[in-house]
Amino acid sequence: MEQCDLIISNALIIDGSGAEGEAGSVAIKGGKIAAVGDVEGWVGDQTIDAAGLVLAPGFIDVHTHDDMAALKTPDMTFKVSQGVTTVVAGNCGISVAPFTTEGNFPPPFPLLGSESEFRFPTVDAYRKALQKSQPAVNLALLAGHSSLRVIAMKDGLDRGANEAEIAHMRELLGAALKDGCVGFSTGLGYPPAMEAPEAEITALASVLREHPSAVYATHMRDEGDHVIEAVEETLRTGRDAGVPVVISHHKCAGRSNYGRSGETLKLIDEARTGQAAGLDVYPYTASSTVLLPEFVRESDDVLITFSEPHPEHNGRRLEEVMAEWDCDLEEVAERLYPAGAIYFQMDEEDLKRILAYPPSMVGSDGLPGQARPHPRLWGTFPRVLGRYVRQMKLLSLAKAIHKMTGLSAKTFGLKDRGLVREGYVADLVLFDPETIEDAATFEDSEQPAHGISRVLVGGAVAWQNGAATGARNGSFVTH
Ligand code: ZN
Ligand code: CU
């Protein structure tokens, strides 16, 4: 008989590969999975009877802005409570590291935190801070293009970078990758990067070639009227730079673009025959980011998630505030800023098509630290499994889990994670497939999901019976 720390028995094991579930047990020893299936021959210090529950790899949230939250709120309850064990931070071009503000702090950086909190000129400095704060989930970081631009372009960001600046940014990116970043992200739809031409992006993305498994993830230049051109640009950048691409939070925003995911997915599908191209999506038809007039214009309705100067309006509809102040959109946005908003601007049919598309991964794009956050921060993963799998039968449970685990780990090069396999890290989630469901709503968004029984990070139980255990066993994940 061999001794192990924990045995989870009688579960339906859905291993993250996309394969259907199989009844079995798992033995865990020293933070790793020691045996899967038949665990005869193992004795556990502890045993959990998981009859009626699904055991899956811990969910990997591939699209987050948790960089600062992992330091400030290391319990990471909004993630652990939905079964997430690893987050990929540094998305949309904004990473806390490498970054120095020196007074230059344009939108959307306030999404991550206040200016004074940004103090990590290198990824190594951030990694040390993370090791000190000991978050409950693992974190992998992308180096943000806008962060690099702020460092390298002191006299303004409203133009393309010159040769010397590109060389500087390539150097910074190379160092970030050496320090453990898993890739590079852009936010080409945001002010600090809007004027960066495609050639600048290609020159930077090509640095990734020297780092196997590194990916280029992009919040594209346009997600509305020019979404087709933006997808084409992204795919071309990947080909020209010779690197894998991930389209972030894929959507077709604005009424006039509803239904166009048929075209965008066709483009991606054709490209995939010759290049590595993936995408992530969250299961809501409202987006959320900083409050800017151009985003309001393409939305049906807008809610305020936070306003630094006017917190009394947090959670209210922008239209009401505008009417009360009797002012136009430009003025209301300016008076509320720094501020964030939720934008209702998508079609459920597009969302369903993108979510059901086999290559898509699930990423929350959750924004922690806001007064009235978008419910995706707390609800994304259980919402996919409850609403779209169990209720709508849009896709099978095994396929949905694959989009949250095995596919995600493979795409981002997170080795020994994302599958229930012997030798893999014991990042696991145990949930009830009959009751799993999001509880967070637009009105009341900070609600833990239902149906999550236990969450293990590196073998330590971090969430159990509706409460955090206090275990903080996350680490900085590199290639
Ligand atoms: Zn984004
Ligand atoms: Cu994002």
Side-chain angles (χ1 to χ4, degrees):
M1 283 301 209
E2 210 171 333
Q3 195 74 24
C4 68
D5 304 322
L6 175 66
I7 289 176
I8 300 174
S9 59
N10 303 317
L12 178 67
I13 302 173
I14 299 184
D15 71 0
S17 68
E20 293 303 315
E22 263 183 66
S25 303
V26 162
I28 295 159
K29 186 178 180 176
K32 296 250 168 89
I33 297 170
V36 182
D38 178 6
V39 298
E40 297 264 316
W42 288 91
V43 199
D45 292 342
Q46 276 182 303
T47 304
I48 296 170
D49 181 7
L53 301 177
V54 166
L55 181 68
F59 304 141
I60 298 170
D61 190 346
V62 294
H63 191 106
T64 84
H65 297 284
D66 291 340
D67 320 27
M68 204 70 94
L71 305 178
K72 285 164 64 179
T73 53
D75 51 67
M76 298 292 281
T77 307
F78 49 86
K79 287 293 153 78
V80 174
S81 63
Q82 48 177 318
V84 171
T85 56
T86 300
V87 299
V88 178
N91 272 285
C92 298
I94 52 170
S95 56
V96 291
F99 189 62
T100 47
T101 70
E102 289 166 43
N104 193 1
F105 195 64
F109 282 101
L111 290 181
L112 296 182
S114 337
E115 186 173 349
S116 63
E117 295 170 317
F118 286 77
R119 51 181 195 283
F120 307 107
T122 65
V123 171
D124 194 51
Y126 175 71
R127 178 186 193 148
K128 287 191 176 113
L130 195 74
Q131 276 156 356
K132 232 189 197 161
S133 76
Q134 267 295 339
V137 296
N138 308 299
L139 183 144
L141 188 68
L142 301 168
H145 171 234
S146 294
S147 298
L148 301 179
R149 287 192 121 224
V150 170
I151 300 176
M153 301 172 68
K154 296 270 183 264
D155 63 346
L157 304 174
D158 52 353
R159 58 177 176 85
N162 63 35
E163 245 173 73
E165 289 158 347
I166 289 178
H168 187 190
M169 288 193 278
R170 282 179 55 99
E171 209 173 287
L172 292 166
L173 177 56
L177 291 161
K178 246 189 222 122
D179 282 351
C181 275
V182 297
F184 171 60
S185 78
T186 58
L188 301 175
Y190 287 122
M194 263 177 200
E195 300 303 327
E198 185 178 330
E200 176 182 326
I201 312 306
T202 309
L204 291 169
S206 61
V207 174
L208 303 174
R209 255 196 323 242
E210 289 140 48
H211 299 262
S213 306
V215 294
Y216 167 47
T218 179
H219 171 146
M220 300 190 299
R221 214 175 278 282
D222 196 293
E223 298 182 299
D225 293 351
H226 301 284
V227 67
I228 301 293
E229 290 94 314
V231 170
E232 285 168 345
E233 177 187 357
T234 300
L235 296 169
R236 197 164 53 232
T237 302
R239 282 195 303 273
D240 291 349
V243 300
V245 294
V246 172
I247 294 172
S248 297
H249 42 59
H250 189 40
K251 63 175 77 74
C252 297
R255 250 172 213 288
S256 52
N257 300 304
Y258 287 3
R260 298 186 77 189
S261 60
E263 296 167 67
T264 61
L265 296 186
K266 190 160 171 276
L267 280 174
I268 296 169
D269 220 41
E270 283 163 8
R272 282 171 55 85
T273 60
Q275 70 181 111
L279 65 161
D280 61 70
V281 61
Y282 52 78
Y284 296 87
T285 53
S287 67
S288 183
T289 182
V290 278
L291 176 62
L292 290 176
E294 55 263 47
F295 300 146
V296 176
R297 275 185 220 108
E298 43 185 47
S299 308
D300 294 338
D301 202 4
V302 177
L303 299 173
I304 300 162
T305 55
F306 77 97
S307 163
E308 273 182 31
H310 292 284
E312 72 276 16
H313 296 316
N314 292 344
R316 295 191 65 199
R317 293 181 59 224
L318 184 71
E319 222 166 61
E320 285 171 20
V321 179
M322 225 158 92
E324 268 172 36
W325 287 355
D326 190 25
C327 66
D328 66 9
L329 176 58
E330 261 69 26
E331 195 187 331
V332 78
E334 195 175 314
R335 281 170 68 179
L336 289 168
Y337 198 81
I342 291 168
Y343 303 94
F344 292 86
Q345 50 163 214
M346 288 173 248
D347 179 28
E348 174 89 359
E349 291 310 309
D350 282 317
L351 164 54
K352 280 158 66 176
R353 191 181 291 133
I354 297 168
L355 192 58
Y357 179 52
S360 70
M361 297 173 283
V362 178
S364 71
D365 201 8
L367 298 170
Q370 304 209 340
R372 298 286 299 264
H374 186 302
R376 65 194 184 186
L377 179 66
W378 289 78
T380 290
F381 292 81
R383 183 174 171 85
V384 171
L385 301 178
R387 178 177 164 88
Y388 292 98
V389 172
R390 188 179 60 247
Q391 290 168 15
M392 293 189 183
K393 302 194 175 11
L394 179 70
L395 68 172
S396 76
L397 185 56
K399 292 276 183 293
I401 288 175
H402 180 56
K403 290 169 175 287
M404 309 173 168
T405 58
L407 178 62
S408 323
K410 191 169 166 220
T411 304
F412 284 84
L414 312 179
K415 57 176 186 306
D416 301 338
R417 292 179 203 271
L419 295 175
V420 182
R421 287 277 154 84
E422 199 182 310
Y424 273 54
V425 179
D427 291 343
L428 297 163
V429 55
L430 203 54
F431 67 87
D432 184 343
E434 301 302 326
T435 61
I436 190 165
E437 152 176 82
D438 56 311
T441 62
F442 286 96
E443 292 73 37
D444 190 4
S445 62
E446 298 183 278
Q447 291 301 321
H450 302 308
I452 303 284
S453 168
R454 277 184 185 81
V455 182
L456 279 75
V457 179
V461 178
W463 182 264
Q464 179 161 251
N465 305 325
T469 62
R472 300 208 322 239
N473 204 28
S475 54
F476 186 72
V477 179
T478 62
H479 282 144

